């Protein structure tokens, strides 16, 4: 059993210079934090809230590839296996993204590959969260409802669901968020 | 004049002394107290099965009715102890079967239990009532069937997170139709399906059943039928909680759940679909224990969900929140420290928590400590090793200081995140009632260990991995180790020479080296990968596998592997 741990470097380290770190990283504790870029000019204007950035509070840069540490995190392997098998059973090759709705105290996960086009997806979301979305039009976004479906794309930008062709959406969508109320109203139309 | 109390009087007085710690103290007073105490002790607890021989225990306590044993070190749960290390139940079962046939209860934790053991139990103890196996392995459902069919007075059959060779759900049908004595049954760790009709009939004829923990294969659509037959339950572990139910089924299930007027503990909830959470609301006001291990809280419920728990479960005493499988790989996790802060604010009786989180802050820890000075067990796992306070980039020293300063009754603590020696100085100074401490990826030097071993008066179990110290602190505080049950250190800076010195210095410690890739030679300076040190009156154990060495007391010998199969 490979044990990637401090003892690998035992012979070479001087006690006073000791600074532990994960294999592959140089420094143990420091992490840079960068803010998410808010809006790009060619995308629909979107009010990214301060709250959103702060509350994640994590680094947005790619973290160093995580080396496998034996027995970490300390979750019983029995339990890990239990969870993993279920995940593998049900997920297979799907494209799973999290869906949240403002005000709901829980998330769901959906497999985008199950849907063929936007209307199917929207119907499914409406069922899941018991809301209804308005009429979509390319220029004005969603009208007639206080709920607006949005998604975060690969670049970290928040976009309106429906703005890009379906295939492009499926390949670039990282997570979905159904916005509600005043934040939704802030969405302008056009560019 | 003989000033001693007559045996009968002492015996009567001692019958009021329940706790084993008190009984241990009592037995040290004088010979006659020792004799009286040992003849009256009914519940025997052996925290480390290698600390004493089974024969000695069997002889010392003739009136023993209940035996509790623990085997492998705790870190075995996380794959840090190779298979075959030890912890065999057989020698104990054999010894008790021969000498203590009136034994009624056996509780084993982290031990290797075979079908042979279970069959021996079934055959040898005619009044056998209670079998609780926690994190055990080595047996199959055949062994369970033997217990179910033979132990006529069986009250408790609990398999908690065991690794069982599951040969099918037939074992449940082995409970005789005449058996009505069942009080608790836990088969949550088994995979295969049991027959619903067997289960229904068992519940119907068990009016004393207080605790029912189903396995995942029991689907949601049958839960209502089971609960209807056991409305007196105090503990419920559901099966899978994810099937689609029609509105009528939902209504029936809601009603059945609301009929559980005595329910205090809830677990199971496999694959809990968020839309079913409202079904559980009727239970929340009375809940004292909530185990969300399988409900994949981190994935789907997040901080907001825990806030709801904080609002609804005012009686909550214990909470366990685990990462879901996905989050073990992902960094994009949205359960934060805020979830725990909410629960600590909202649940005034909360005293035990196990919480996994990606990152944390000192401010959150300080809040939590202020809100809940009544914590007895605080286990926080910040999953990112060396993660500092993500707002201030400071180590989490001050946060844990707040915890140990305020929570004066803290018995068990797991620390994580970026921690310097200072954190352990605080723990050494304040955590006077702390009995068990788990540490990973922390500290700067030997000072850390020194603070702990010289400060924590009540420390009994210490387990450390991936920390940068070893020899000096260990040798300086060697005497402390005999006051403790055990010390585990892995991937630290402990040298072979220090292990030898320690073993020679302390005659009643077993110093075991675990090494799956033993070097050709062991100079004193060579590092030792894993050591497990425990006090014992039984000497080096005789069942060590090829990768475990007990350091010999005689300096010339170095290591020995005494192994008698």
């Amino acid at each position: 059993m490979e044990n990637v741990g401090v003892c690998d470097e035992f012979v070479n380290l001087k006690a006073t210079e000791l600074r532990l770190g994960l294999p592959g990283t140089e420094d143990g504790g420091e992490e840079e934090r960068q803010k998410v870029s808010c809006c790009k000019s060619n995308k629909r204007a979107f009010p990214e809230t301060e709250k959103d950035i702060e509350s994640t509070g994590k680094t947005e840069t790619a973290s160093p590839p995580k080396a496998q540490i034996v027995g970490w995190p300390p979750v019983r392997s029995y339990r890990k296996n239990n969870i993993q098998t279920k995940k593998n059973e049900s997920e297979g090759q799907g494209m799973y993204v999290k869906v949240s709705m403002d005000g709901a105290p829980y998330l769901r996960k959906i497999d985008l590959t199950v849907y063929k086009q936007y209307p199917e997806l929207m119907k499914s979301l409406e069922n899941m969260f018991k809301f209804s979305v308005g009429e979509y039009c390319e220029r004005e976004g969603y009208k007639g409802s206080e709920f607006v479906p949005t998604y975060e794309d690969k670049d970290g930008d928040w976009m309106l669901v429906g703005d890009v062709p379906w295939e492009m959406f499926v390949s670039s969508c990282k997570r979905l968020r159904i916005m509600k109320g005043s934040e939704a109203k802030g969405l302008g139309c056009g560019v | 004049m003989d000033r001693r109390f007559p045996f009968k009087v002492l015996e009567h007085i001692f019958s009021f002394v329940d706790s084993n710690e008190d009984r241990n103290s009592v037995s040290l007073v004088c010979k006659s107290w020792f004799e009286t105490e040992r003849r009256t002790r009914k519940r025997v607890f052996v925290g480390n099965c290698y600390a004493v021989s089974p024969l000695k225990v069997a002889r010392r306590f003739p009136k023993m009715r209940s035996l509790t044993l623990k085997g492998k070190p705790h870190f075995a749960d996380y794959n840090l102890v190779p298979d075959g290390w030890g912890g065999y139940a057989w020698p104990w079962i054999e010894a008790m079967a021969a000498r203590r046939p009136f034994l009624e209860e056996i509780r084993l934790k982290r031990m290797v239990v075979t079908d042979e053991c279970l069959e021996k139990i079934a055959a040898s103890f005619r009044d056998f009532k209670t079998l609780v196996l926690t994190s055990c392995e080595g047996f199959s459902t055949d062994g369970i069937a033997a217990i179910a069919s033979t132990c006529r007075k069986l009250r408790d059959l609990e398999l908690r997170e065991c690794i069982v060779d599951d040969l099918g759900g037939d074992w449940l049908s082995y409970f005789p139709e005449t058996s009505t004595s069942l009080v608790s049954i836990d088969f949550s760790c088994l995979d295969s399906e049991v027959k619903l009709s067997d289960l229904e009939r068992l519940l119907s004829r068990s009016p004393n059943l207080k605790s029912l923990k189903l396995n995942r294969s029991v689907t949601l659509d049958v839960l209502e039928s089971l609960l209807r037959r056991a409305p007196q339950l105090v503990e419920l572990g559901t099966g899978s909680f994810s099937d689609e139910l029609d509105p009528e089924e939902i209504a029936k299930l809601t009603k059945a759940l609301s009929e559980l007027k005595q329910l205090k503990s809830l677990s199971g909830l496999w694959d809990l679909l968020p839309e079913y959470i409202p079904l559980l609301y009727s239970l929340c006001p009375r809940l004292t224990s909530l185990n969300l291990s399988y409900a994949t809280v981190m994935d789907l419920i997040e901080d907001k969900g825990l806030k709801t728990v904080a609002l609804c479960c005012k009686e909550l005493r214990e909470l366990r929140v685990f990462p879901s499988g996905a989050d073990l790989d992902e960094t994009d996790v949205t359960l934060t420290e805020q979830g725990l802060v909410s629960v600590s604010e909202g649940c005034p009786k909360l005293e035990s928590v196990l919480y996994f989180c990606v990152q944390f802050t000192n401010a959150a820890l300080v809040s939590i400590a202020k809100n809940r000075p009544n914590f007895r067990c605080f286990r926080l796992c910040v999953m990112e090793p060396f993660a500092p306070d993500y707002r201030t980039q400071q180590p989490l020293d001050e946060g844990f200081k707040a915890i140990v300063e305020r929570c004066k009754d803290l018995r068990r603590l797991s620390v994580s995140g970026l921690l310097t020696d200072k954190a352990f100085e605080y723990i050494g100074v304040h955590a006077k009632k702390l009995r068990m401490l788990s540490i990973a990826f922390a500290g700067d030097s030997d000072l850390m260990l020194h603070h702990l071993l010289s400060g924590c008066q009540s420390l009994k179990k210490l387990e450390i991995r991936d920390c940068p110290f070893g020899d000096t602190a260990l040798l300086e505080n060697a005497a402390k180790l005999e006051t403790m049950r055990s010390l585990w250190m892995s991937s630290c800076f402990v040298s072979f020479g220090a292990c030898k010195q320690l073993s020679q210095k302390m005659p009643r410690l077993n110093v075991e080296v675990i090494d799956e890739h033993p070097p050709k030679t062991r100079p004193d300076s060579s590092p030792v990968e894993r050591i497990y040190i425990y006090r014992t009156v039984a000497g080096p154990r005789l069942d060590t596998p090829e990768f475990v060495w007990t350091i010999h007391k005689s300096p010339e010998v170095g290591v020995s592997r005494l192994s008698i199969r």
Side-chain angles (χ1 to χ4, degrees), chain B residues 231-367:
Chain B
Q232 73 284 4
L233 285 179
V234 175
E235 292 181 348
L236 171 65
T238 71
S240 151
F241 224 89
S242 65
D243 313 296
E244 299 285 339
L245 298 181
D246 64 45
E248 195 191 324
E249 286 171 310
I250 293 183
K252 275 165 90 174
L253 180 56
T254 311
K255 178 156 191 294
L257 285 167
S258 67
E259 294 292 308
L260 301 175
K261 302 286 183 214
Q262 324 257 30
L263 197 78
K264 291 203 159 57
S265 160
L266 186 62
S267 58
L269 305 174
W270 268 281
D271 316 312
L272 174 64
L273 281 184
E275 49 260 39
Y276 287 147
I277 293 176
L279 286 175
L280 305 172
Y281 284 164
S282 64
L283 303 173
C284 291
R286 289 180 294 274
L287 275 188
T288 60
S289 168
L290 185 58
N291 188 333
L292 296 171
S293 343
Y294 299 116
T296 62
V297 179
M298 284 183 90
D299 210 23
L300 297 178
I301 299 185
E302 298 187 325
D303 288 342
K304 283 182 279 191
L306 283 183
K307 204 155 185 184
T308 312
V309 168
L311 288 173
C312 300
C313 302
K314 290 301 178 192
E315 295 297 309
L316 201 65
R317 289 202 155 80
E318 184 195 4
L319 176 69
R320 291 177 166 231
V321 172
F322 286 82
S324 76
D327 297 305
L328 295 176
D329 306 318
E330 278 175 37
T331 46
D332 180 28
V333 172
T334 38
L335 183 86
T336 70
E337 75 280 7
Q338 199 43 51
L340 186 54
V341 172
S342 303
V343 179
S344 72
E345 263 167 11
C347 303
K349 299 194 181 166
L350 190 67
E351 56 183 33
S352 171
V353 91
L354 170 57
Y355 197 81
F356 283 77
C357 195
V358 174
Q359 295 179 102
F360 229 77
T361 63
N362 281 311
L365 282 168
V366 170
S367 290

Side-chain angles (χ1 to χ4, degrees), chain B residues 529-564:
Chain B
E529 176 55 47
R530 281 170 276 194
I531 52 170
Y532 184 52
I533 302 169
Y534 55 90
R535 68 177 171 188
T536 180
V537 293
R541 58 184 174 111
L542 304 178
D543 60 3
T544 48
E546 68 280 1
F547 52 81
V548 176
W549 285 264
T550 308
I551 308 255
H552 210 276
K553 298 299 170 191
S554 156
E556 302 89 61
V557 179
V559 281
S560 71
R561 200 186 322 119
L562 304 174
S563 184
I564 295 174

Side-chain angles (χ1 to χ4, degrees), chain B residues 373-428:
Chain B
N374 46 321
F375 272 127
R376 288 171 71 96
C377 169
F378 187 78
R379 295 165 69 190
L380 174 65
C381 178
V382 175
M383 299 201 298
E384 183 73 36
F386 312 116
D389 176 326
Y390 70 83
R391 288 192 191 278
T392 64
Q393 299 307 313
Q394 294 301 304
L396 292 179
D397 297 348
E398 294 303 310
F400 280 106
K401 176 186 184 197
I403 295 281
V404 293
E405 254 183 339
R406 293 219 171 223
C407 303
K408 306 231 185 288
D409 275 332
L410 198 64
R411 296 270 190 281
R412 184 170 176 185
L413 177 65
S414 299
V415 298
S416 50
L418 183 67
L419 295 166
T420 70
D421 287 345
K422 264 253 159 253
F424 300 97
E425 185 188 336
Y426 299 142
I427 296 176

Side-chain angles (χ1 to χ4, degrees), chain B residues 138-305:
Chain B
F139 60 100
S140 78
T141 41
D142 282 353
I144 302 302
I147 299 280
S149 63
T150 319
C151 303
R152 301 273 139 172
K153 300 190 184 174
L154 195 66
R155 283 205 303 231
D156 310 291
L157 177 61
E158 297 182 32
L159 308 175
R160 303 176 183 174
E161 301 199 355
C162 294
I163 299 183
V164 184
D165 186 9
D166 194 336
L167 305 170
D170 283 342
W171 61 271
L172 189 67
S173 63
Y174 280 78
F175 280 105
E177 288 295 326
T178 48
S179 88
T180 57
S181 48
L182 213 55
V183 172
S184 75
I185 179 164
D186 179 350
F187 58 98
S188 52
C189 63
L190 299 181
D191 285 324
S192 41
E193 246 182 82
V194 296
K195 241 166 68 185
L196 180 63
S197 52
D198 285 341
L199 193 48
E200 283 172 340
R201 280 204 308 278
L202 183 62
L203 296 185
S204 296
R205 65 174 188 274
S206 304
N208 298 316
L209 191 72
K210 294 275 183 292
S211 172
L212 173 65
K213 295 189 181 167
L214 307 165
N215 68 356
R216 195 187 204 171
S217 69
V218 176
T219 51
L220 194 55
D221 52 334
V222 309
L223 185 59
E224 180 267 334
S225 141
L226 298 173
L227 296 182
R228 243 193 304 129
R229 290 170 165 80
Q232 73 284 4
L233 285 179
V234 175
E235 292 181 348
L236 171 65
T238 71
S240 151
F241 224 89
S242 65
D243 313 296
E244 299 285 339
L245 298 181
D246 64 45
E248 195 191 324
E249 286 171 310
I250 293 183
K252 275 165 90 174
L253 180 56
T254 311
K255 178 156 191 294
L257 285 167
S258 67
E259 294 292 308
L260 301 175
K261 302 286 183 214
Q262 324 257 30
L263 197 78
K264 291 203 159 57
S265 160
L266 186 62
S267 58
L269 305 174
W270 268 281
D271 316 312
L272 174 64
L273 281 184
E275 49 260 39
Y276 287 147
I277 293 176
L279 286 175
L280 305 172
Y281 284 164
S282 64
L283 303 173
C284 291
R286 289 180 294 274
L287 275 188
T288 60
S289 168
L290 185 58
N291 188 333
L292 296 171
S293 343
Y294 299 116
T296 62
V297 179
M298 284 183 90
D299 210 23
L300 297 178
I301 299 185
E302 298 187 325
D303 288 342
K304 283 182 279 191

Side-chain angles (χ1 to χ4, degrees), chain A residues 7 18 70 79 86 107-108, chain B residues 161 216 275 293 300 468:
Chain A
C7 269
L18 182 62
V70 173
R79 190 184 293 280
K86 187 66 181 175
L107 306 184
R108 290 298 297 271
Chain B
E161 301 199 355
R216 195 187 204 171
E275 49 260 39
S293 343
L300 297 178

